[in-house]
Amino acid sequence: MKSLTVTPFIRDSFENYQKSACGITLDIGRQRINQKELLSLIDFVKEKKMIESFNEMRKGKIVNASEHRSALHTSLRDPSPDAPSCRRSSPDTGSFLQVC
């Protein structure tokens, strides 16, 4: 019979597994990932500039060049009047309700 190696919870090998901001706490302590894997994941996010891409998407910039339009689904969750709208980003696609 093959033996299984279970990766421990991250809280067992990494001291700083919680982050809090704006009244929200992110707790990744129950993820089965070790410190080396977590740091590799963070490096990957930085290398691919994922945070910058996310911010560009939220601003209404074109992030998926194959569709030649903004990804506006985040605007549906953004109560800010500065959130990109379908009309401003894609005037040729019809009304706000038809697109979103």
Side-chain angles (χ1 to χ4, degrees), residues 45-80:
V45 166
K46 289 177 182 176
E47 176 187 322
K48 297 297 180 182
K49 299 182 179 175
M50 294 173 84
I51 302 297
E52 292 86 346
S53 292
F54 175 75
N55 288 332
E56 293 295 306
M57 179 183 67
R58 293 215 44 224
K59 291 177 187 174
K61 304 275 173 112
I62 295 174
V63 292
N64 183 346
S66 66
E67 293 182 6
H68 304 293
R69 64 179 183 170
S70 302
L72 296 169
H73 53 277
T74 56
S75 294
L76 297 173
R77 297 179 191 98
D78 192 343
S80 167

Side-chain angles (χ1 to χ4, degrees), residues 77-88:
R77 297 179 191 98
D78 192 343
S80 167
D82 297 330
S85 70
C86 294
R87 272 191 212 129
R88 283 193 302 244

Side-chain angles (χ1 to χ4, degrees), residues 8-72:
F9 290 123
I10 196 166
R11 66 176 178 225
D12 298 333
S13 61
F14 196 74
E15 289 180 22
N16 196 10
Y17 59 86
Q18 289 185 341
K19 292 288 182 189
S20 295
C22 302
I24 298 172
T25 299
L26 173 67
D27 182 345
I28 60 170
R30 293 187 157 269
Q31 301 303 309
R32 292 200 180 273
I33 182 173
N34 62 38
Q35 183 176 1
K36 182 181 175 185
E37 292 166 339
L38 177 62
L39 295 175
S40 293
L41 180 60
I42 292 168
D43 287 341
F44 178 79
V45 166
K46 289 177 182 176
E47 176 187 322
K48 297 297 180 182
K49 299 182 179 175
M50 294 173 84
I51 302 297
E52 292 86 346
S53 292
F54 175 75
N55 288 332
E56 293 295 306
M57 179 183 67
R58 293 215 44 224
K59 291 177 187 174
K61 304 275 173 112
I62 295 174
V63 292
N64 183 346
S66 66
E67 293 182 6
H68 304 293
R69 64 179 183 170
S70 302
L72 296 169

